[in-house]
Amino acid sequence: MMLRYIIGRILIMIPTLLVISALVFLIIELPPGDYIESYIAELKAQGESVDLAQIEFLRTEYGFDKSLVERYLFWLWGILHGDFGYSFEYRLPVSEVVGDRMFLTILVSFTTIIFTWALAFPIGIYSATHQYSWGDYGLTFIGLLGLATPNFLLALVMIYFANLWFGTSIGGLMDVKYLNQPMSWDKAISILEHLWIPVIVIGTSGTAAMIRRLRANLLDELQKQYVVTARAKGVPPVRALLKYPLRSALNFFIADIGSMLPAMISGAEIVAVVLSLETTGPVLIAALQSQDMYLAGSFLIFLASLTVFGVLISDIALAFLDPRIRLQGGAIK
């Protein structure tokens, strides 16, 4: 049944991704003008003359003289062959633009997820098992404070104190001298010295929200009859907690995989801009602003694909985690 379910979901993914790709391309094309017109406006703003012959060459070179459908099919055919198009802004293939930035984005996001889970799990469990204690009230206050503090404001505070107390250079994921340099031991050390700032900033609100959700779900499970019965039979408290209540309370963690995977690639865009991080978030924002259609479109379709595959992974994992979840509907006899 599981294999049939997976094959069916994969077959459904194909038309879903095709529809998403068409919508993404259409949305990118909706704003008036194109990259060439933005380029002309930029030249005029700088007081430079516009070479009409060059502009016409660029229109032909980049396919802006073709119809919308032709440009979409050309872009889609390239993606199917691993060619995500050409970035007009950077004058490079999309794969080269996002290469190093993709690695740094995954590094920041993965570390942030580990940081979030490492804090949220023990704190959420403690708050649920010590309801209305001073510890619960204190952790709840800190969690609400984390939810209320904007990430960009926390980022400004963190880079100030990091520079004041630890001498860490302001902004970026590494010292300036390592930019555009191949990976080395010194560069890796520099990345680790800067990594903790964005991890704490990005992970703060996510940790606070996850603590509240885990506490609420676990409290609901601990009040159910099977937990009361297990305690009455003398089952040790830790086993009574871990056997079923915690597993059931973790369902929403697994369900978040669908949104977690694209978040690992896009990163926290606003925080990345504030901290001057060399991640993909600022590149995506700049691509949308400059109408760099192939760069922006490739980003968005990649994020959509990760979302679709993430939902499939979470559904399969939930079926294994919780026996109450069935892969196929039907009347229960």
Side-chain angles (χ1 to χ4, degrees), residues 186-202:
D186 292 335
K187 182 175 181 178
I189 294 297
S190 180
I191 292 175
L192 292 177
E193 289 177 349
H194 291 74
L195 184 62
W196 64 274
I197 300 175
V199 166
I200 292 177
V201 171
I202 299 172

Side-chain angles (χ1 to χ4, degrees), residues 59-77:
R59 286 190 179 277
T60 304
E61 181 72 14
Y62 293 144
F64 288 106
D65 58 336
K66 297 182 174 62
S67 67
L68 177 65
V69 176
E70 288 178 311
R71 292 201 302 275
Y72 166 69
L73 293 176
F74 176 78
W75 173 65
L76 183 62
W77 181 256

Side-chain angles (χ1 to χ4, degrees), residues 141-152:
F141 173 77
I142 295 174
L144 294 176
L145 188 64
L147 286 171
T149 305
N151 280 354
F152 70 88

Side-chain angles (χ1 to χ4, degrees), residues 105 108-109 151 202 263 265-273 277 279 281-282 285:
T105 302
V108 172
S109 301
N151 280 354
I202 299 172
I265 303 303
S266 63
E269 290 85 355
I270 303 302
V271 174
V273 172
L277 302 181
T279 56
I285 294 177

